[in-house]
Amino acid sequence: MRLDKFLKTARIIKRRTVAKDFALSERIMVNGRVAKPSTTVKAGDIVSLRIGERQMVFEVLAIKENIKAAEAKDLYRVIE
């Protein structure tokens, strides 16, 4: 699944266009590499997201196309 779509599906970022803008401004890293919006994300990947001065690091646990809002947190595990 594309990185920008995963961030929206997992409800980490509310809109896919905002996720795309984050990636284009080099604020997202996947497995230690700067990621583009089209970067493929799979289970086991470590994603680092920088929002202002804060940094969120999480591991992708599962990939699903459609998911309920209550189950969205099951797609990832926060590391930092």
Side-chain angles (χ1 to χ4, degrees):
M1 176 183 288
R2 289 174 54 106
L3 174 64
D4 55 350
K5 187 171 181 180
F6 175 78
L7 292 172
K8 187 216 178 282
T9 303
R11 280 134 174 117
I12 296 169
I13 296 179
K14 291 189 179 193
R15 291 186 175 80
R16 189 170 172 181
T17 55
V18 175
K20 178 182 172 185
D21 291 341
F22 266 76
L24 290 175
S25 63
E26 299 183 351
R27 296 164 73 182
I28 303 176
M29 298 181 79
V30 176
N31 295 328
R33 295 185 177 163
V34 175
K36 294 182 179 180
S38 61
T39 300
T40 303
V41 178
K42 58 189 179 306
D45 284 349
I46 304 296
V47 180
S48 173
L49 176 65
R50 196 181 66 217
I51 303 171
E53 296 297 318
R54 293 184 17 200
Q55 184 164 353
M56 177 182 180
V57 180
F58 60 91
E59 177 184 5
V60 178
L61 299 178
I63 301 292
K64 294 185 181 178
E65 292 292 326
N66 297 319
I67 193 162
K68 295 179 182 178
E71 300 170 355
K73 291 191 177 194
D74 297 336
L75 296 179
Y76 64 94
R77 177 177 58 94
V78 177
I79 297 172
E80 286 182 32

